[in-house]
């Protein structure tokens, strides 16, 4: 191996034979300087890219944090608004105070037992808390009347799903809350109210809410009778399974009480 090849092998990047030829020497020096400048520029660009990437990453993190905070704040506002709306009807009707919260809890437990997705359960929770909001338009003396109510009084009470729908229809929830509230007294066989919708027209959420609503109403104290307990409530609802109530929701409700030891909070 000659000396030039050995030098290249040992790490030399170029070779200039002696005696030096001035023109060649000048050209090689210029070439070396150009290569050095190129390396320096590449290094600078690399550093700038790294810095830009760091800034970008920190901006994305900051904006994600702000978005998360805005989302949390919106969610809290929505939650507080839902509870404020819910308390409107309960302030006027102490007998049903806590009813909407109870119905919401039981409906969520039924939905969970049926294996519904989290987001749908969340919609049921909100609809449950608000389902009787339309009772704000029913005189308090009818709502808390001890003893049987007249036909006219029942007609007044039966407006509450429509009133609830009208109150909620312009609120942009991520779930069909107004529609669920509108349908919570509908029955599978079309004998419910306000429109007597049949099974295939009733939302699953409303079917679940309807079971929870009736179970809670029978189980707890009402102005016109004492509390009857969950066993009696389940017995009553089971008799109407497939007629008024969706069988899957009734079965899930049964499982919630018998296997999951559900209790109203
Ligand atoms: Fe209702």
């Amino acid at each position: 191996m000659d000396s030039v090849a050995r030098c290249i092998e040992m790490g030399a990047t170029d070779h200039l034979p002696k005696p030096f030829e001035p023109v060649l020497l000048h050209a090689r020096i210029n070439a070396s300087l150009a290569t050095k400048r190129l390396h320096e520029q590449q290094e600078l660009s690399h550093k700038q890219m790294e810095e830009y990437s760091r800034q970008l990453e920190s901006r994305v993190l900051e904006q994600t944090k702000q978005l998360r905070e805005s989302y949390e704040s919106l969610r809290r506002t929505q939650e507080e608004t839902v509870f404020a709306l819910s308390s409107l009807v309960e302030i006027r009707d102490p007998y049903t105070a806590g009813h909407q919260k109870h119905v919401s809890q039981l409906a969520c437990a039924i939905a969970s037992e049926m294996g519904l997705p989290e987001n749908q359960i969340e919609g049921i929770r909100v609809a449950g808390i608000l389902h009787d909001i339309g009772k704000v338009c029913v005189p308090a003396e009818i709502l808390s009347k001890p003893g049987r109510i007249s036909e006219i009084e029942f007609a007044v009470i039966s407006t509450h799903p429509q009133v609830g729908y009208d109150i909620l229809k312009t609120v942009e929830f991520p779930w069909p809350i107004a529609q669920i509230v509108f349908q919570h007294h509908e029955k599978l066989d079309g004998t419910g109210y306000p429109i007597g919708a049949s099974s295939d027209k009733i939302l699953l959420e409303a079917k679940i809410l309807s079971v929870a609503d009736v179970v809670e109403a029978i189980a707890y104290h009402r102005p016109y009778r004492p509390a009857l307990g969950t066993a009696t409530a389940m017995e009553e609802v089971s008799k109407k399974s497939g007629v008024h109530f969706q069988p899957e929701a009734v079965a899930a409700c049964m499982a919630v009480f018998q296997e999951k030891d559900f209790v109203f909070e």
Side-chain angles (χ1 to χ4, degrees), residues 99-100 130-135 157 160-161 181 184-185 193 213:
H99 167 72
Q100 298 185 106
L130 294 171
H131 75 278
D132 273 344
I133 181 76
K135 284 186 178 170
I157 290 181
H160 80 274
V181 167
H184 79 274
H185 282 291
Y193 63 89
D213 187 23

Side-chain angles (χ1 to χ4, degrees), residues 16 23 25 78 80 83 96 100 122-123 125 152 154 176 178 193 196 206 208 218-219 223 233 240 250 258-260 262:
L16 202 59
V23 176
L25 180 62
Q78 182 192 292
E80 285 158 6
F83 276 108
T96 54
Q100 298 185 106
E122 183 60 11
R125 188 183 71 80
I152 292 173
F154 179 73
Y193 63 89
I208 292 172
I218 297 174
K240 298 289 182 185
V250 174
Q258 293 180 348
E259 294 161 29
K260 304 284 159 68
F262 176 86

Side-chain angles (χ1 to χ4, degrees), residues 164-228:
Y165 174 82
D166 291 339
I167 292 172
L168 299 166
K169 67 183 177 190
T170 53
V171 184
E172 274 194 43
F173 286 108
W175 316 278
I177 300 296
Q179 194 61 22
I180 302 170
V181 167
F182 182 74
Q183 294 183 333
H184 79 274
H185 282 291
E186 295 291 0
K187 294 169 181 169
L188 294 195
D189 62 358
T191 59
Y193 63 89
I195 61 166
S198 54
S199 176
D200 59 327
K201 298 285 188 298
I202 308 171
L203 294 172
L204 175 60
E205 292 91 330
K207 288 173 180 168
I208 292 172
L209 210 56
S210 150
V211 171
D213 187 23
V214 174
V215 168
E216 204 277 351
I218 297 174
Y220 272 80
H221 174 72
R222 285 292 172 273
Y224 46 88
R225 59 148 176 78
L228 297 176

